[in-house]
Amino acid sequence: MTAFDAKADLHLYLQDARDALLWKLDGLSEYDVRRPLTPSGTNLLGLVKHVTAAEAVYFGETFGRPFEAAPLWIAGRAEPNADLWATPQESREEIVGLYHRVWAHSDETVRSLPLDATGRVGWGRRAEVTLHRILVHAIAETDRHAGHADIVRELVDGGRGLRAQDGNLPEGDDAWWKGHRDRIEQAAREAAGLPDPASDGRPSPIAG
């Protein structure tokens, strides 16, 4: 039987999600990491700011190891959504640097406690949680926001891919991707019974 380390596996996936989220900021201007790309204001630097505050609580206060820093942007301690965008006075370096410091603090919590160690949170139906559950929750939340960042980055400059070393996407130039998108648009219109805008008003067959 192959030995495995459940804690190491969970930590590996959490770190992979952290790295993927931060990578989405690389090479962008100050404006592009901050500008909102959805009606609700989703932006890249705000996503990093949010997970920073979340980890500080999940792996800090939850287990009696509060992260020592200036007040964070936690719900109930600031205006709504204050943790999801950066003010002009908050630099990218400040927010990213704080994220690195918070995850180092989180990593120490993970290293020093067993998976069945219990802590207390103020959300959900159960106040008592295990480190195992917090790790799973943090992975799910960070990956979810990394997925948001995937879409936002593509809207900013077309950048896409799973991680810097592995795009995890088919190879293709801009023309190939445009053709792929057009084919999906055509399929959606046909399924909905909508006319092809380039036709005489009749639905057109999907190209093979």
Side-chain angles (χ1 to χ4, degrees), residues 58-159:
Y58 296 152
F59 297 101
E61 293 179 16
T62 297
F63 296 100
R65 304 184 67 253
F67 179 74
E68 298 298 330
L72 295 172
W73 319 279
I74 310 300
R77 302 181 188 177
E79 65 180 73
N81 284 344
D83 61 327
L84 285 163
W85 63 284
T87 69
Q89 292 73 38
E90 294 169 331
S91 71
R92 181 196 324 209
E93 292 74 21
E94 174 189 359
I95 292 172
V96 171
L98 187 58
Y99 188 29
H100 281 290
R101 287 170 51 209
V102 164
W103 88 36
H105 185 82
S106 301
D107 291 349
E108 183 56 34
T109 298
V110 173
R111 280 191 294 269
S112 62
L113 297 176
L115 285 177
D116 61 358
T118 58
R120 301 188 71 81
V121 294
W123 45 259
R125 296 179 181 177
R126 295 174 55 193
E128 189 172 270
V129 292
T130 62
L131 177 62
H132 180 272
R133 183 180 177 191
I134 288 296
L135 272 165
V136 171
H137 183 90
I139 292 166
E141 178 160 355
T142 308
D143 264 328
R144 182 184 185 194
H145 292 311
H148 294 153
D150 284 339
I151 302 301
V152 173
R153 179 63 190 256
E154 188 167 359
L155 291 172
V156 168
D157 69 348

Side-chain angles (χ1 to χ4, degrees), residues 10-58:
L10 291 167
H11 188 226
L12 177 67
Y13 275 84
L14 176 59
Q15 188 59 52
D16 188 60
R18 291 164 169 167
D19 292 338
L21 178 57
L22 278 188
W23 174 54
K24 293 301 176 176
L25 276 63
D26 284 359
L28 293 182
S29 70
E30 202 64 44
Y31 173 65
D32 283 337
V33 298
R34 296 166 179 267
R35 63 181 172 123
L37 270 297
T38 69
S40 60
T42 306
N43 64 95
L44 290 167
L45 194 57
L47 291 171
V48 175
K49 185 176 175 180
H50 173 74
V51 296
T52 299
E55 270 207 34
V57 173
Y58 296 152

